[in-house]
Each structure stands twice: as C-alpha cells, then as structure tokens.
C-alpha cells in the first residue's frame, strides 16, 4: 500500500515557526500589529494571522499574556548558550540610553555630524550611536515626546538576573525577548520594568552565535 504524503508545509520542530517567533518578539516588545507589519515588511493581515496562531499554539488568551511569556526559540543563540556555566547574573554597566526624537533623519545627522558621535547602524525609524562604550538609541516618536529616557542595564544573563529581581519584588512588563538579530548572528535581548516611581528601565543582553555553531554550520533561520 502506498502512503500518500501530506500536503502543505511540514510541521516545524519548534513550538512556533521562525515567522511566528519574529511576530511574537514584536508583541513582547510592545509593538502594535501595524508597527510589526511595517518593521517586518509584511502585510497587516499576515501579522494578525500569525498572532492568532501564536495565541492558539501557546494557549494564551490575549497579547498581555504573550508579553510576559518566557519561551525562547530553539534556534536562537540564547537557547544554545550554556547559561549555568558561562553566565553570571548581575549588572555590568549602563549599556544603552534611549531618546525619542521627532525626525529620525534630522536627529541622526545632528548626533553624527554636530556632536561627532559614531553612528553604529540604523533601520526604519531608529538609529544607534556609540557613546564611549554605551549606546545611544534614537527612536522616532509621533506626537508629544515622552519626558523620560530609558536606562538599559547591560547584563550577561538576562534570564537569571530577571529571576533574581522578581524574587525581590520587581514586576516586569515583558519577558526577556529578542528585539533584533544582526547579519553576523549577534542577538539583542531586552526585558522592561519600572523603578519605584514608575519610570521605565530595561535589561539588555547581547548574545553571539559564533561560538555556539557546530560542524554542521549555523542554525537554520528560514521559515
């Protein structure tokens, strides 16, 4: 008897597909569906479709529950890192400070050409500069500019240190999540919380995939 092959895309070995993980990270970062669609270069309907699938697969009822879900993609550098042996919970330094601007192109030129800061990279409506080892993050914001900048504390073990802070009574708005993956595989991870006055703070961690690759080559990143 000949067994018929199932039609369509085969099930992905991870709980979510790579496309769903990218949408989920946008949700966990506090982005709207429209912002995710713009940032990812996909349609709004595609984002809605992915969000619906993600909620069903993770057995969650709303976006708020997705923001605090602590899952990690199997093929991420963070998942492959041996955290127990190579990471120590704690703050290393202030890794980044954010500043909202009304015009990202004008602000990028001013911080680069007038202040002389080293421009690291830009994409979409955000830009990053080096400030003596700390990073300045410019974010284009419509409407009135928020009064507070966000301090991003650089940590090696973002999951471990978040757990330590939760044990001390700190409430996080988001679980650690990947906000960007560079072409060389470097992953940017963040998690957001507030100080006692309700002002925004964040943990950030950079995870490199280079040392974690085996002889079979880099991990798969396709959908």
């Amino acid at each position: 008897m000949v067994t018929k092959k199932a039609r369509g895309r085969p099930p992905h070995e991870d709980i979510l597909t790579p496309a769903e993980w990218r949408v989920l990270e946008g949700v966990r970062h506090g982005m709207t569906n429209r912002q995710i669609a713009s940032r990812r270069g996909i349609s709004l309907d595609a984002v809605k479709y992915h969000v619906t699938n993600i909620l069903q697969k993770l057995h969650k009822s709303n976006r708020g529950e997705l923001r605090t879900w602590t899952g990690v993609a199997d093929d991420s550098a963070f998942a492959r890192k041996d955290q127990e042996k190579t990471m120590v919970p704690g703050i290393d330094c202030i890794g980044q400070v954010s500043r909202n601007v009304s015009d990202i192109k004008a602000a990028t030129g001013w911080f680069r050409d007038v202040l002389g800061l080293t421009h690291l990279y830009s994409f979409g409506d955000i830009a990053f500069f080096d400030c003596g080892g700390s990073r300045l993050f410019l974010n284009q914001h419509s409407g009135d500019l928020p009064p507070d900048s966000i301090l991003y504390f650089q940590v090696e073990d973002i999951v471990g240190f978040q757990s330590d802070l939760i044990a001390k009574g700190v409430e996080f708005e988001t679980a650690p999540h990947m906000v960007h993956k560079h072409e060389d595989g470097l992953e940017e991870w963040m998690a957001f919380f507030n100080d006692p006055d309700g002002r925004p703070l964040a943990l950030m961690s950079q995870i490199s995939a280079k040392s974690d690759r085996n002889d079979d080559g880099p991990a798969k990143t396709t959908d």
Side-chain angles (χ1 to χ4, degrees):
M1 181 177 63
V2 179
T3 302
K4 293 183 178 180
K5 293 184 178 180
R7 294 183 178 181
R9 179 178 294 178
H12 197 271
E13 59 184 10
D14 199 351
I15 189 172
L16 300 177
T17 69
E20 289 168 346
W21 274 111
R22 290 191 289 270
V23 169
L24 173 62
E25 303 296 27
V27 171
R28 294 202 287 193
H29 201 56
M31 299 171 67
T32 65
N33 286 351
R34 192 171 299 278
Q35 289 172 327
I36 296 172
S38 176
R39 182 68 58 82
R40 293 297 178 187
I42 59 179
S43 70
L44 182 59
D45 286 341
V47 175
K48 293 179 179 178
Y49 173 78
H50 286 317
V51 170
T52 298
N53 283 344
I54 293 167
L55 288 169
Q56 292 176 346
K57 289 182 177 181
L58 301 183
H59 306 290
K60 303 298 182 183
S61 59
N62 55 59
R63 297 171 74 93
E65 292 182 1
L66 291 181
R67 292 194 71 187
T68 56
W69 183 66
T70 58
V72 175
D74 287 346
D75 65 355
S76 70
F78 193 90
R80 297 193 300 274
K81 200 82 171 178
D82 185 355
Q83 298 179 48
E84 295 298 327
K85 296 181 179 179
T86 64
M87 293 185 177
V88 179
I91 292 175
D92 297 330
C93 62
I94 293 180
Q96 179 171 284
V97 177
S98 71
R99 173 64 59 90
N100 289 286
V101 299
S102 58
D103 185 329
I104 191 63
K105 290 184 178 180
T108 298
W110 191 83
F111 279 91
R112 180 189 62 221
D113 303 330
V114 177
L115 293 190
L117 298 183
T118 300
H119 178 233
L120 298 175
Y121 59 93
S122 296
F123 59 91
D125 54 4
I126 63 178
F128 296 86
F129 293 83
D130 176 62
C131 295
S134 295
R135 201 165 61 182
L136 173 64
F137 163 37
L138 301 183
N139 177 51
Q140 183 167 293
H141 183 86
S142 59
D144 295 335
L145 298 180
D148 287 324
S149 296
I150 301 177
L151 297 179
Y152 295 76
F153 295 108
Q154 181 80 40
V155 299
E156 187 177 16
D157 181 1
I158 190 170
V159 172
F161 192 57
Q162 185 210 31
S163 297
D164 288 349
L165 292 182
I166 290 176
K168 296 177 181 178
V170 175
E171 295 184 2
F172 277 75
E173 296 184 357
T174 68
H177 57 281
M178 183 168 61
V179 298
H180 183 61
K181 186 172 184 177
H182 298 270
E183 292 183 358
D184 63 359
L186 180 68
E187 297 177 358
E188 306 263 0
W189 286 73
M190 293 182 182
F192 293 86
F193 61 107
N194 292 325
D195 68 11
D197 293 313
R199 291 173 296 192
L201 296 171
L203 302 180
M204 63 177 287
S205 185
Q206 294 180 314
I207 310 296
S208 175
K210 291 183 177 180
S211 61
D212 297 310
R213 294 176 179 175
N214 54 32
D215 294 338
D216 295 329
K220 296 179 181 179
T221 57
T222 56
D223 289 357

